[in-house]
Amino acid sequence: MFKKAKKDKDKQPKEEKKKERKEEEPRVQVSSAVEAEKVAPPTEPKLAPPPKTAEVAKEEEERKKREKEELDRKLKEEEEKRRREEEKQRELERARLEEQRKREKQEEKKAKKQRKKEEDRRAEEDEGAERELLNSIVVSPAEVKKDYHLFPREVCLAYEQLQSFSRQLNTPIPAPEIVFIGFQSQGKSSVFEAILGIPFTIIGYDGATRRPLYLNLMNSTETRITIKRDPITNVDHDVTVMPGTTELAKEIQQRNSVFSLEPIFINYESTDTLNITLIDTPGLISTREEGLKGSDLLPKANEIRTFVENMAKIPTRMIVCVEECKDWDSVEMTDWIKGIDPEHARTIFVYTKFHSYAQRFNSTRDINKYFAGTSPDVKTFFVSMFSSKTRSACLEMDKYQEKILQAQKRDESLLEQLQYDKKYENNIGVHAFRRYLLHMTWKNFHEGVPLIYRRLQTKKSSTEDQVKKLDDMLMGLDVNKHRTLASAYVVEFLQIIERLLAGTSEGNPAVWGQTLEEEKSSCTGNGEWIDAQNRLLRIEDVAKITYADNKLYGGQQFERLLAEFKAVAESIKCTDPSPDEVATAAGVNKINNIPNYAYAACDLASQKTQEAFIPLIEQTCSRAVYIMKRLPDIASGIMEYRKRSQSNTLFNNEFNNIFDNVIMDANVSNLNSNSGNLFDVDRIQQYPYFTFHVKDLYCKFVEQTAKNCRDKCLDEFYNTRTIYWDFTETTEKGVLFGGSEHEIRRGVSELTVHLFKNLQDRIMRHCLFKLYNFFLVPIQTQLWAVVQGSITSLSDDKLAMIFEAEATKKRIREEQKALKLIIDQCSSQETLLNTASDNYSHKLIVSGFAT
């Protein structure tokens, strides 16, 4: 680039010299002209300078372009230099800031380490003082046992018996579910395990509870703890441990090692507990806690919050909000829980670390003022536990329970020194909170005991009514009863058959109806039309068959069959007779010593119509019988539906009047299922032999009617002489057959086809008429007389045999015996239930727990 610029500079002097030489010539001319003008006066105007040549203009333009390019290049170089300088300054600034941050981080880390060291020193001093203070509080093993065994043995046994009655009578009383929620490091898990009195949860900072925990307390004859299999940690079997060992804590620590919202399930079976479910949830992450900003659970904050909200939103669950004691204007859970339970109707507040907070109070007025900050309508408790180091030294169950009681007595001693108001006594300590939860559980089940007693009474009275009803059935079970039932059933059955033939949708076409394809596949054989040689017949115009794709039954299905028969009959074509058939058919019948080929054509037409249409008529009659034999099952379904609808109507009427009693009866019906369904003599379905007898009469009548109709249709096939006579009588001029053998055969074939067509039209029309008149009409008009007359004419002995009277009476007596056994069981259960109910409530009232 620079070389090119240098060459351009070298070229410039040469070009300028050329321009100067070119400009000298006009200058000489101009100077001579000027001198001439000085001599002579000016007589003409001055001439304009000559225009620049194109070459000069082009050179001028190129020069300006080069100057502009040079200027742009210099500007770009200056801009790039300035940009590099700015980037260098920014890089230096970033390095300076990074170095400053590193120094600040190191100083912060050093300060944090120093603070941690100071906190550990103070915590060690506090823990030493705490251990010394707790050890100075003397508690006896009897006191510890009393607080963790509130229920007398008689109450637990009574509870077990009541639970058994509840299961037997199908009257479940759901166990209370209590979900513990709170922010991280507020002591929620410590309170959770203190309720049970067994150290098993993971206690610590920065979100110790990483998975929900379902603890199902279950009353049982054995004492054991079962940790259910856990797919999250690949534990594919249940683990059973005994209370008071460290195995439980190890198993839970293994399952709690990873964060997941899949719960850990634990069943704690004991002889001295009631059924209750405690649910521990992962701690919520508070934005106010600076110490939690580095928590590895912080990215899961929204996920945890949504999960806890969903757990607490279930309206049947009690909510325990756990939070550290602090000034009332600083608490967070009160406002947080309003989004789930605005009225605090099912919320309990538990404030932890009460001992540390209460030490700031110096007077009775201050402590009572703090207690007065709680809502009188919301249950609130103040509890204190002990440090994690103190807890880690109490892995045995007895030692752990002893420390809990000592911590509570420590709080009570502090409050006694402050002379607090005694009305808050039942709100202090873990045992007060535990006592309240157990009392709530006991009260929940106690309120359900009358429901168990009522269910037992209803079962007993309902069974007694059934026994009385069976007695009435036995007394009314005679021949007159059977005749009444038979007559009513036959009338209803025949009325439904008549309606199905006339047309009705009561039989539910979607269930009982059949399309044409379904009808063919269900009847005997494959349902397809075949000729005498078992060749499949094709229908030329399928559109002639109406409702082929609709589900039909009864009369409309029969009409579709007739349409199909007509379509098949019209599709049949007569084949040309063979020479052998023509020669054989001519036989010895001669006119003037000439074979009678007209007679031969009549004989061939007669044979071909029989071969073509007799199989069709037989198949049509068979299909018609199948269609009619479907009607009894449809009629039975309609009668059963009517009976069920009538029962539902009666049930709804009583449901609107006596809701509770109907619910009782519905459950009692399940309770009596072991004795079988109660025999009802008024239900005709209880007599299957009689209903089969009626259906058999119907089917036999249909078969006989179809046979008669078939015979009537076969009368349409006349013999050859009749056909020949009819042909000669109706033909105006004779038919002559002459010429060669080929011409004779062609003439016979044409006449045969002509005669076949005439016979086909007549047979098809007449058979359709006879199928309707001699099959459908008799079923509509004569069925009533045949079936009803047959049932009415039955003798008393025959009727009793059909109704199986003796077997019915025997079955009723067996059911009576089973029901009386149930009544005796209800009486004995009633006595046991009264005793268990008294023990469940009175023993606790005497001990002062339920007051």
Side-chain angles (χ1 to χ4, degrees):
M1 181 177 179
F2 290 107
K3 292 180 179 181
K4 185 177 180 181
K6 187 175 181 182
K7 290 179 180 180
D8 292 340
K9 291 180 180 180
D10 295 339
K11 289 180 180 180
Q12 287 178 1
K14 296 179 181 180
E15 292 175 354
E16 290 177 357
K17 290 178 180 181
K18 291 180 181 180
K19 289 180 182 180
E20 291 175 355
R21 285 196 298 268
K22 289 180 180 181
E23 290 175 354
E24 285 177 357
E25 296 177 359
R27 282 190 193 135
V28 174
Q29 295 176 2
V30 171
S31 60
S32 59
V34 171
E35 292 176 357
E37 288 177 357
K38 291 179 180 179
V39 176
T43 56
E44 294 181 359
K46 295 181 179 180
L47 296 175
K52 294 181 179 180
T53 63
E55 185 177 358
V56 174
K58 184 176 180 180
E59 291 177 354
E60 183 70 18
E61 183 178 354
E62 289 179 354
R63 183 181 61 77
K64 291 180 179 180
K65 185 177 180 180
R66 286 194 297 272
E67 291 176 355
K68 184 178 180 182
E69 289 177 353
E70 183 67 18
L71 180 62
D72 291 342
R73 182 182 63 77
K74 291 180 179 180
L75 291 175
K76 287 182 180 179
E77 289 178 355
E78 292 177 358
E79 182 67 24
E80 181 66 20
K81 183 178 180 181
R82 185 168 58 254
R83 188 187 63 78
R84 287 196 297 268
E85 290 293 333
E86 291 177 355
E87 182 66 26
K88 185 177 180 181
Q89 292 295 330
R90 286 196 295 270
E91 194 68 31
L92 293 174
E93 182 66 18
R94 281 197 295 268
R96 186 184 65 80
L97 293 176
E98 183 67 22
E99 186 66 23
Q100 183 179 353
R101 280 196 295 269
K102 287 182 179 180
R103 287 197 302 271
E104 291 176 354
K105 190 174 182 180
Q106 290 177 355
E107 292 175 358
E108 182 181 356
K109 186 176 181 181
K110 184 177 180 181
K112 187 176 180 180
K113 185 176 181 181
Q114 187 66 26
R115 288 196 303 270
K116 184 66 170 58
K117 185 177 180 181
E118 183 66 21
E119 289 175 359
D120 292 343
R121 184 185 64 79
R122 292 180 180 178
E124 187 175 354
E125 293 177 355
D126 294 341
E127 288 170 359
E130 180 187 55
R131 285 194 297 271
E132 184 178 354
L133 178 59
L134 292 177
N135 292 333
S136 65
I137 301 174
V138 179
V139 294
S140 64
E143 290 180 286
V144 176
K145 184 177 181 181
K146 177 183 177 182
D147 286 327
Y148 275 98
H149 297 79
L150 295 175
F151 297 114
R153 180 58 179 165
E154 295 83 353
V155 173
C156 295
L157 292 176
Y159 180 79
E160 182 181 350
Q161 290 177 339
L162 293 174
Q163 284 281 6
S164 177
F165 287 135
S166 174
R167 291 189 294 269
Q168 292 176 12
L169 297 173
N170 194 23
T171 313
I173 300 176
E177 290 187 347
I178 304 173
V179 56
F180 288 71
I181 64 176
F183 292 100
Q184 287 186 353
S185 304
Q186 300 292 301
K188 173 172 52 63
S189 298
S190 299
V191 175
F192 185 85
E193 71 174 0
I195 299 301
L196 186 61
I198 299 176
F200 64 90
T201 60
I202 309 301
I203 307 298
Y205 300 98
D206 196 18
T209 305
R210 295 175 176 269
R211 293 181 60 185
L213 189 147
Y214 277 69
L215 177 61
N216 299 313
L217 301 180
M218 306 167 61
N219 181 269
S220 177
T221 56
E222 301 179 359
T223 300
R224 62 183 176 184
I225 300 176
T226 304
I227 306 105
K228 308 301 288 185
R229 61 178 179 271
D230 183 34
I232 301 299
T233 54
N234 298 324
V235 180
D236 58 355
H237 61 281
D238 296 347
V239 178
T240 301
V241 299
M242 296 303 295
T245 63
T246 59
E247 296 179 8
L248 177 61
K250 293 179 181 179
E251 292 290 340
I252 295 179
Q253 184 175 7
Q254 176 186 355
R255 289 162 172 77
N256 198 61
S257 58
V258 295
F259 171 79
S260 174
L261 296 180
E262 187 70 23
I264 303 171
F265 292 96
I266 301 175
N267 292 340
Y268 178 33
E269 302 175 53
S270 177
T271 57
D272 56 355
T273 187
L274 307 182
N275 292 352
I276 183 174
T277 300
L278 305 177
I279 305 172
D280 190 14
T281 60
L284 300 167
I285 299 178
S286 173
T287 56
R288 299 183 185 180
E289 296 292 339
E290 296 294 334
L292 295 177
K293 289 187 177 180
S295 172
D296 62 336
L297 296 180
L298 191 58
K300 305 288 186 180
N302 293 333
E303 186 177 357
I304 294 173
R305 182 185 182 90
T306 302
F307 174 80
V308 174
E309 287 178 349
N310 293 333
M311 294 289 288
K313 281 180 181 178
I314 299 177
T316 57
R317 284 178 176 170
M318 295 295 296
I319 306 172
V320 177
C321 294
V322 182
E323 188 172 6
E324 182 179 340
C325 281
K326 59 183 71 172
D327 295 339
W328 292 121
D329 57 353
S330 301
V331 295
E332 298 181 69
M333 290 305 299
T334 305
D335 295 333
W336 191 91
I337 201 62
K338 284 183 178 180
I340 300 174
D341 184 22
E343 302 296 330
H344 295 164
R346 53 190 183 91
T347 303
I348 304 171
F349 289 97
V350 176
Y351 295 99
T352 61
K353 305 179 183 179
F354 174 69
H355 182 74
S356 299
Y357 187 80
Q359 288 179 344
R360 68 176 62 187
F361 299 115
N362 298 319
S363 64
T364 303
R365 179 177 177 275
D366 292 340
I367 189 65
N368 289 334
K369 182 179 179 181
Y370 178 74
F371 284 146
T374 61
S375 175
D377 298 328
V378 180
K379 203 64 180 176
T380 307
F381 295 92
F382 301 90
V383 302
S384 296
M385 295 300 292
F386 31 80
S387 64
S388 57
K389 287 189 177 180
T390 303
R391 176 194 175 279
S392 60
C394 305
L395 298 179
E396 296 81 7
M397 183 174 63
D398 295 340
K399 191 69 174 176
Y400 177 72
Q401 293 178 1
E402 179 184 357
K403 289 298 179 185
I404 291 175
L405 182 58
Q406 288 176 338
Q408 179 166 331
K409 288 185 174 295
R410 176 194 60 186
D411 296 346
E412 293 173 354
S413 175
L414 176 61
L415 293 176
E416 287 293 341
Q417 294 176 10
L418 294 173
Q419 297 181 357
Y420 75 110
D421 193 339
K422 285 289 187 177
K423 70 178 181 180
Y424 301 111
E425 182 178 9
N426 292 329
N427 301 84
I428 307 302
V430 170
H431 287 294
F433 174 51
R434 183 176 183 273
R435 184 185 183 91
Y436 174 77
L437 293 182
L438 294 179
H439 175 265
M440 183 183 62
T441 304
W442 173 87
K443 184 179 179 181
N444 175 75
F445 191 82
H446 185 261
E447 292 174 351
V449 171
L451 182 62
I452 301 175
Y453 187 80
R454 183 182 176 188
R455 188 65 53 81
L456 182 60
Q457 289 288 336
T458 304
K459 177 184 177 182
K460 182 179 178 181
S461 61
S462 176
T463 308
E464 291 173 347
D465 292 341
Q466 292 174 2
V467 172
K468 186 176 182 301
K469 186 177 180 180
L470 291 177
D471 288 335
D472 296 339
M473 289 181 183
L474 283 175
M475 295 183 64
L477 198 61
D478 54 10
V479 175
N480 295 329
K481 180 73 173 180
H482 292 158
R483 288 196 182 278
T484 303
L485 289 174
S487 178
Y489 175 77
V490 169
V491 169
E492 186 179 9
F493 174 80
L494 294 176
Q495 285 177 344
I496 294 175
I497 294 294
E498 187 175 7
R499 292 193 63 191
L500 292 174
L501 292 175
T504 178
S505 61
E506 188 179 6
N508 194 354
V511 177
W512 291 102
Q514 288 182 334
T515 62
L516 184 59
E517 290 299 325
E518 292 173 347
E519 177 186 336
K520 289 181 177 180
S521 62
S522 300
C523 65
T524 305
N526 58 7
E528 298 292 343
W529 300 93
I530 56 176
D531 61 7
Q533 284 77 33
N534 289 328
R535 292 175 300 187
L536 190 64
L537 298 177
R538 298 293 182 182
I539 301 175
E540 293 181 354
D541 190 2
V542 183
K544 293 182 178 181
I545 306 176
T546 56
Y547 304 116
D549 297 328
N550 296 100
K551 290 180 173 290
L552 305 177
Y553 55 69
Q556 191 62 43
Q557 190 175 6
F558 180 74
E559 290 286 347
R560 185 176 64 188
L561 174 64
L562 297 183
E564 186 182 7
F565 169 77
K566 182 179 178 181
V568 174
E570 291 176 346
S571 302
I572 296 177
K573 305 296 181 183
C574 179
T575 57
D576 294 334
S578 65
D580 295 337
E581 289 177 335
V582 173
T584 305
V588 296
N589 295 310
K590 297 181 179 181
I591 300 176
N592 298 326
N593 292 326
I594 298 175
N596 190 355
Y597 289 106
Y599 183 87
C602 292
D603 184 67
L604 290 171
S606 175
Q607 293 299 322
K608 288 184 178 296
T609 53
Q610 292 182 26
E611 291 177 0
F613 290 101
I614 288 179
L616 294 186
I617 293 172
E618 292 178 347
Q619 293 174 64
T620 303
C621 291
S622 176
R623 288 268 296 277
V625 170
Y626 166 76
I627 291 172
M628 294 303 167
K629 282 187 175 182
R630 294 182 64 238
L631 300 185
D633 293 335
I634 301 176
S636 298
I638 293 175
M639 286 189 285
E640 184 66 25
Y641 175 77
R642 289 177 178 177
K643 186 75 174 178
R644 190 164 56 249
S645 299
Q646 183 180 4
S647 300
N648 291 338
T649 302
L650 295 175
F651 175 81
N652 291 333
N653 292 336
E654 292 198 21
F655 181 85
N656 294 329
N657 297 328
I658 44 174
F659 171 80
D660 293 335
N661 290 336
V662 173
I663 295 299
M664 290 292 181
D665 293 340
N667 286 282
V668 169
S669 64
N670 295 330
L671 296 170
N672 293 337
S673 59
N674 57 347
S675 62
N677 295 326
L678 184 64
F679 191 88
D680 187 1
V681 294
D682 293 329
R683 292 185 74 248
I684 198 65
Q685 287 77 11
Q686 300 284 359
Y687 309 100
Y689 189 71
F690 171 74
T691 56
F692 174 79
H693 180 70
V694 175
K695 294 177 182 178
D696 185 60
L697 291 175
Y698 169 83
C699 293
K700 288 180 178 178
F701 177 80
V702 169
E703 291 174 353
Q704 184 60 41
T705 305
K707 183 176 180 301
N708 297 337
C709 179
R710 174 184 174 277
D711 295 339
K712 293 287 185 181
C713 292
L714 292 180
D715 291 341
E716 294 296 324
F717 296 95
Y718 304 149
N719 56 32
T720 305
R721 291 185 180 275
T722 305
I723 297 172
Y724 179 71
W725 175 85
D726 181 68
F727 170 70
T728 57
E729 288 294 323
T730 57
T731 304
E732 295 181 356
K733 59 181 180 178
V735 178
L736 299 177
F737 295 91
S740 63
E741 181 180 350
H742 175 73
E743 292 175 347
I744 293 173
R745 189 172 71 249
R746 186 180 63 185
V748 172
S749 177
E750 291 176 353
L751 180 58
T752 301
V753 172
H754 173 73
L755 292 172
F756 180 86
K757 181 61 177 175
N758 293 338
L759 292 174
Q760 179 184 26
D761 294 340
R762 178 180 58 79
I763 291 172
M764 181 182 65
R765 287 187 291 103
H766 290 188
C767 285
L768 287 173
F769 171 79
K770 290 182 177 181
L771 284 169
Y772 184 86
N773 188 62
F774 294 107
F775 183 76
L776 182 62
V777 173
I779 294 177
Q780 291 177 319
T781 58
Q782 301 175 18
L783 181 63
W784 276 80
V786 173
V787 176
Q788 201 168 22
S790 178
I791 296 299
T792 306
S793 62
L794 290 174
S795 63
D796 293 346
D797 295 339
K798 183 68 174 178
L799 190 64
M801 183 186 69
I802 293 177
F803 272 88
E804 302 176 293
E806 292 301 323
T808 301
K809 291 179 180 179
K810 182 179 179 181
R811 182 179 176 183
I812 291 176
R813 292 190 182 98
E814 290 177 353
E815 290 194 1
Q816 277 185 323
K817 185 178 179 181
L819 292 175
K820 289 179 180 179
L821 180 61
I822 293 176
I823 293 174
D824 294 338
Q825 292 176 351
C826 289
S827 299
S828 60
Q829 288 178 344
E830 187 176 355
T831 302
L832 295 174
L833 180 60
N834 289 332
T835 303
S837 179
D838 291 341
N839 291 336
Y840 184 72
S841 57
H842 293 177
K843 292 292 182 180
L844 289 182
I845 292 175
V846 171
S847 64
F849 178 82
T851 56

